Amino acid sequence: MQHNTRYVVTFVLILTSVVALLLTFLNEAWKEKMETNEAIFNKKAILKAVATDVGFEVDDMGDEEVLSIFDNQVEQKVYDMDGIELTPEEVLSIRKYKGGQAEFIDMAKEKKLDEDVRLLPMFIFNGDNNKKYYIISVRGNGLWDEIWGNIALENDFTTIAGASFDHKGETPGLGAEIKDNPVFPASFKGKKIYNEAGAFTSVFVRKGGARDPLHEVDGISGATVTADGVSEMMARGIKYYEPIFAAAKNK
Amino acid sequence: MADTITKPEVKKAEPWFGKKERQLISDPLNDNNPITVQVLGICSALAVTTLVYPSLVMAVAVIFVLVFSNLITSLLRTYIPNQVRMIVQLIIIATLVTVVELTLKAYSYDVYKKLSVFIGLIITNCIIMGRLEAFAMSNKPWKATLDGLGNGLGYGAILIAVALVRELFGKGTLMAGSGAEMKIIGASPDYMINTLESTLFGWYQPNNLMVLPAAALFIIGIFIWIHRSWNPKLVDIS
Amino acid sequence: MELFNIFIKAAFIENMVLAYFLGMCSYLAVSKTVKTAVGLGLAVIFVLGFTMPINWLISEYLLSETGLFGVDLTFLRLILFIAVIASMVQLVEMVIEKLSPSLYNSLGIFLPLITVNCAILGGSLFMVSREYNLGESVAFGLGGGFGWFLAIIAIAAIREKIKYSAVPPALRGLGMAFILTGLMGIAFMSLMGIDPDALTGVK
């Protein structure tokens, strides 16, 4: 149907305002619910990094259980890029993250900022027998969109105790295996991010199978770009935390 | 119109489920299948069919969006100006998808996480816009709804059939990633999700070719072959 | 030179159709004859070449936190990208309808469907995730479009020839096109390892 320009403009304006109002209304009405869901989801992702080592079945946990573990066993810390710990007030004065808490740091936002002004979250998990795990967050690019992960380190700051990955839009069965296939994150357990001479090596995802048992894991067939993304994200992301590790080791 | 016989207008009530209406559902399942005959929605068919479970999720989501966007577009069809119809159609599709996304995010976060990966694929799925353009813009709401349902089912059927073949031969499993995961054939290969031991055809090595998008093209090609041998009136004579 | 590399990479090594399998629907449906394939191929080059820089400007100056509104609006990215693409396609449709009604008729519904051609939205999303600058995104858009153009002409030429071969009747046409594309895709996988920087000597 051909209409005059005035009709077209009015029609488009009415349609877009109806749509915008509807979406804004739904977004506002459910905001709280969505935020709680998201917070629990993030907490689960963090706990997943230590799950194999401490024997958690994170997927079967109820919301209450996740919250209580998080409150009782997890300490949250925020560092700047020089490895200096920041109090929640200091964090709030830099960027408006809820409560200045590490769990509310938006890694997607941080990734877009210049490297020297980013904030680094760290979660210290207190396991049985005073065993501590240091969980750090990394973020990079996959084939389609961003990928990210939480890496749990033992208290030597060298050995990986576990890892969990997630992604925004990788292909199911290929790149999405970094999250869906428990074998992939589990293969990081026991790998070392420093070599014997103490130089930073990170852990690489090797296409065709790992050759170095300490610093490489097997790739995923058909998902080279995502796997390279994981390697890059680990090498760059863990390196940010080096000053923190160095300070903690010297203590 | 003017010279037709002007009898007193007795509107014959159209049956809700007459022959034509039933055809709207059954045609896309066979004679006018969106994937194998109309060639629509191939991209998503290649991307999600490596595993059965995401294909199932995708099929349900597409049926939902297709039915409602067909209905809404058909209701608005006389008001939509031709010059901007594509933008209007896309706004309708994108809004529906976003409403679904928000609802799931508030009430079922796990499903939201599973589906959010496909959102871009649903919006750009040419079946949806193809049906809006070809059917909903020129038909009544009830028919458009049925057309959406039929095409969604036809699309879903092929999607799941392709995924069954690809997952079974590519990974040796069925429904991997969901609660109902089954290990069907082969020894336990390295990259298997929650591997349950199975000795059925233990010599079978999962075929990595099946995981590649090229395999989906071969399988759909073979489906078309079978479909047309069985239904010769679809054979390409040109 | 850098831009030329991106162009070559997008056109051959990371061919939208044959390496990433994007934009398949129109590729398979409109590749019966070389003539219509050329028409659609040019339309895709045009739409990709123009939407890419526009979408770049949008994501840089409207949607980012440092942009016009000072708030992070990336959740609107998909909708805005699609809207830009849709308006560009609508423009192309009007032009083709005026200039060549016969081409317009032979493209049929697949002309408006360029809007939802995943190669075009995919291109814009690739551009964002690879953090290209304006010049690079133009080169990437044109390269991607050119690669799509080449791919559709290649398959159309093969399909024109294969019409005279003894293919089983039920496999003729569409069925054969699917299988051919799969084979071409496997052939293109061998290009994946090429580093264009090494070819042109830029490092």
Side-chain angles (χ1 to χ4, degrees):
Chain A
M1 226 152 285
Q2 292 294 335
H3 291 277
N4 60 27
T5 321
R6 196 148 137 216
Y7 179 86
V8 173
V9 173
T10 334
F11 183 86
V12 171
L13 280 181
I14 293 178
L15 186 74
T16 27
S17 21
V18 168
V19 163
L21 275 177
L22 174 75
L23 292 183
T24 323
F25 171 74
L26 288 182
N27 201 22
E28 286 302 313
W30 290 334
K31 202 168 191 175
E32 212 166 297
K33 266 202 185 94
M34 296 195 283
E35 274 171 4
T36 331
N37 283 339
E38 198 176 347
I40 288 173
F41 189 85
N42 288 341
K43 286 178 174 154
K44 278 186 174 174
I46 292 161
L47 290 181
K48 260 186 196 162
V50 290
T52 43
D53 229 45
V54 295
F56 281 158
E57 289 291 342
V58 181
D59 285 325
D60 299 337
M61 283 182 187
D63 295 355
E64 301 293 314
E65 198 179 347
V66 173
L67 290 175
S68 90
I69 292 176
F70 222 81
D71 287 345
N72 297 326
Q73 287 181 279
V74 178
E75 278 175 68
Q76 305 192 21
K77 296 201 163 159
V78 183
Y79 295 89
D80 67 8
M81 290 299 282
D82 300 322
I84 295 159
E85 192 184 337
L86 304 171
T87 63
E89 291 74 33
E90 284 170 321
V91 175
L92 275 174
S93 71
I94 301 172
R95 269 187 282 290
K96 298 266 169 284
Y97 291 124
K98 199 171 155 190
Q101 292 291 316
E103 62 168 309
F104 294 113
I105 289 184
D106 183 349
M107 292 293 286
K109 211 180 207 175
E110 296 294 318
K111 185 168 155 266
K112 290 195 196 99
L113 300 170
D114 289 335
E115 281 203 344
D116 49 341
V117 297
R118 293 186 194 171
L119 297 173
L120 301 169
M122 184 189 261
F123 306 90
I124 302 173
F125 181 85
N126 295 301
D128 299 337
N129 308 324
N130 284 329
K131 190 166 177 194
K132 279 180 191 285
Y133 297 92
Y134 298 84
I135 306 168
I136 61 177
S137 302
V138 293
R139 198 171 184 100
N141 291 321
L143 171 64
W144 298 105
D145 213 317
E146 296 192 337
I147 52 175
W148 57 94
N150 293 301
I151 318 288
L153 296 168
E154 309 250 349
N155 55 7
D156 60 356
F157 296 103
T158 302
T159 315
I160 294 180
S164 71
F165 297 100
D166 204 345
H167 61 94
K168 207 162 174 189
E170 302 305 299
T171 320
L174 298 172
E177 295 281 275
I178 60 169
K179 172 187 175 215
D180 295 339
N181 191 335
V183 178
F184 182 73
S187 64
F188 282 86
K189 187 171 156 49
K191 306 288 173 199
K192 305 213 184 274
I193 56 171
Y194 288 96
N195 64 14
E196 275 171 19
F200 180 69
T201 56
S202 182
V203 176
F204 280 88
V205 185
R206 171 79 74 182
K207 192 182 176 181
R211 286 177 220 155
D212 183 338
L214 283 181
H215 308 295
E216 285 179 5
V217 296
D218 293 342
I220 298 166
S221 53
T224 318
V225 180
T226 314
D228 288 349
V230 173
S231 300
E232 187 276 338
M233 159 175 99
M234 299 275 287
R236 185 176 38 80
I238 300 177
K239 208 168 169 37
Y240 293 155
Y241 287 85
E242 274 205 291
I244 308 171
F245 299 160
K249 276 184 198 165
N250 287 339
K251 244 185 213 169
Chain B
M1 275 306 211
D3 51 5
T4 44
I5 316 150
T6 43
K7 274 184 188 169
E9 193 71 32
V10 182
K11 240 192 177 170
K12 223 173 111 188
E14 281 185 42
W16 284 85
F17 265 107
K19 196 169 172 240
K20 270 191 194 149
E21 281 73 19
R22 277 198 304 272
Q23 242 175 18
L24 284 175
I25 305 245
S26 62
D27 257 15
L29 290 172
N30 181 12
D31 289 357
N32 203 14
N33 186 282
I35 294 184
T36 61
V37 182
Q38 301 177 49
V39 216
L40 295 174
I42 310 291
C43 291
S44 54
L46 297 179
V48 301
T49 52
T50 40
L51 301 173
V52 177
Y53 184 56
S55 313
L56 206 63
V57 176
M58 183 74 175
V60 173
V62 165
I63 292 175
F64 180 85
V65 176
L66 194 51
V67 167
F68 282 93
S69 56
N70 255 8
L71 175 64
I72 295 173
T73 313
S74 175
L75 286 171
L76 290 176
R77 72 187 186 282
T78 47
Y79 307 105
I80 297 177
N82 202 31
Q83 298 95 313
V84 289
R85 65 176 201 287
M86 287 176 213
I87 303 171
V88 172
Q89 289 164 359
L90 278 168
I91 291 177
I92 294 173
I93 300 172
T95 312
L96 262 175
V97 172
T98 317
V99 169
V100 175
E101 193 188 4
L102 287 174
T103 318
L104 290 175
K105 202 173 174 186
Y107 291 99
S108 175
Y109 202 80
D110 284 340
V111 181
Y112 158 74
K113 273 280 155 188
K114 287 210 172 74
L115 203 68
S116 63
V117 178
F118 303 133
I119 301 265
L121 279 176
I122 299 172
I123 296 180
T124 54
N125 192 321
C126 34
I127 285 189
I128 300 175
M129 207 175 135
R131 290 324 293 173
L132 295 188
E133 209 27 45
F135 198 90
M137 286 297 283
S138 51
N139 280 286
K140 293 216 174 91
W142 172 240
K143 280 191 177 163
T145 313
L146 289 179
D147 178 78
L149 185 63
N151 277 284
L153 289 173
Y155 165 81
I158 298 288
L159 211 63
I160 289 163
V162 175
L164 280 174
V165 178
R166 284 181 80 182
E167 185 173 348
L168 185 61
F169 293 107
K171 302 219 157 212
T173 55
L174 285 180
M175 296 294 282
S178 74
E181 149 134 28
M182 283 173 283
K183 171 97 177 77
I184 308 292
I185 52 170
S188 67
D190 296 339
Y191 268 105
M192 194 58 65
I193 303 167
N194 301 332
T195 306
L196 299 169
E197 284 305 322
S198 158
T199 50
L200 191 63
F201 299 113
W203 45 266
Y204 182 78
Q205 281 291 323
N207 187 344
N208 263 337
L209 176 69
M210 285 291 170
V211 179
L212 300 174
L217 286 167
F218 295 143
I219 295 167
I220 299 175
I222 292 167
F223 276 3
I224 293 177
W225 189 1
I226 299 170
H227 187 198
R228 291 187 181 182
S229 317
W230 168 62
N231 191 348
K233 70 176 171 219
L234 294 176
V235 170
D236 221 327
I237 349 162
S238 61
Chain C
M1 231 30 202
E2 192 72 11
L3 295 184
F4 183 67
N5 279 352
I6 289 181
F7 180 88
I8 294 291
K9 208 171 159 201
F12 298 102
I13 300 164
E14 295 178 345
N15 189 293
M16 289 278 188
V17 181
L18 298 171
Y20 288 134
F21 298 92
L22 292 177
M24 274 285 157
C25 305
S26 27
Y27 166 85
L28 287 165
V30 189
S31 56
K32 269 189 192 149
T33 60
V34 174
K35 202 169 159 250
T36 45
V38 170
L40 192 71
L42 290 176
V44 168
I45 296 186
F46 179 85
V47 174
L48 256 177
F50 272 91
T51 52
M52 213 67 113
I54 296 177
N55 282 344
W56 185 86
L57 291 172
I58 287 182
S59 68
E60 193 71 13
Y61 292 111
L62 287 183
L63 300 180
S64 76
E65 201 160 55
T66 51
L68 201 57
F69 300 113
V71 240
D72 189 26
L73 292 173
T74 37
F75 67 95
L76 289 176
R77 192 162 73 193
L78 216 51
I79 294 185
L80 274 180
F81 279 9
I82 283 271
V84 168
I85 294 169
S87 7
M88 205 48 84
V89 173
Q90 194 108 49
L91 195 75
V92 171
E93 192 197 22
M94 290 175 191
V95 171
I96 294 188
E97 197 178 0
K98 281 253 152 53
L99 291 183
S100 168
S102 65
L103 180 62
Y104 178 77
N105 286 332
S106 57
L107 291 177
I109 193 173
F110 286 95
L111 187 57
L113 286 187
I114 302 182
T115 320
V116 280
N117 184 324
C118 356
I120 293 174
L121 184 71
S124 286
L125 293 177
F126 274 142
M127 165 194 85
V128 174
S129 78
R130 292 180 190 174
E131 291 160 14
Y132 283 144
N133 63 31
L134 185 58
E136 287 170 340
S137 60
V138 176
F140 182 69
L142 290 176
F146 184 66
W148 203 91
F149 174 78
L150 280 185
I152 194 169
I153 290 182
I155 186 110
I158 297 177
R159 283 179 73 173
E160 277 193 359
K161 292 269 178 255
I162 216 161
K163 248 197 292 197
Y164 305 107
S165 315
V167 176
L171 198 55
R172 262 187 210 149
L174 195 59
M176 211 53 212
F178 270 95
I179 291 173
L180 283 171
T181 313
L183 290 173
M184 286 162 81
I186 289 182
F188 253 75
M189 276 171 62
S190 53
L191 292 178
M192 280 261 193
I194 294 178
D195 179 7
D197 293 335
L199 285 179
T200 46
V202 180
K203 202 70 237 186

